Amino acid sequence: MPKMKTNSGAKKRFDVTGTGKIKRKHAFKSHILTKKTIKRKRNLTKTAMVAQSDESRIKKLLGMK
């Protein structure tokens, strides 16, 4: 049986916490920032958790399950 490969895009985008939850970054923070408010840009900087319904799919991409 060959080794399980992780998805290269997923391993760059997601981090796993100590409790097994998956952290992600917010979208819409890379360009066209002049028309966005400072408050909106500040809140997009913070990390967020992946929804529970998506966790199993992302864990499979990361080679965890």
Side-chain angles (χ1 to χ4, degrees):
M1 189 91 182
K3 289 182 181 178
M4 180 116 165
K5 286 196 173 184
T6 58
N7 183 285
S8 295
K11 69 183 176 188
K12 294 171 194 170
R13 287 170 172 82
F14 300 107
D15 272 325
V16 183
T17 63
T19 56
K21 293 180 181 176
I22 300 172
K23 291 192 297 186
R24 65 170 177 86
K25 289 186 177 176
H26 283 281
F28 308 110
K29 185 72 198 315
S30 57
H31 61 99
I32 315 174
L33 298 172
T34 52
K35 62 175 81 171
K36 294 169 188 159
T37 63
I38 294 166
K39 181 181 178 180
R40 183 175 166 193
K41 288 185 278 191
R42 184 174 61 242
N43 288 331
L44 289 173
T45 300
K46 300 168 185 171
T47 57
M49 294 295 168
V50 169
Q52 277 189 331
S53 55
D54 296 325
E55 262 188 29
S56 60
R57 288 191 296 148
I58 293 168
K59 283 183 178 180
K60 203 175 285 184
L61 290 173
L62 294 173
M64 294 175 69
K65 277 192 174 182

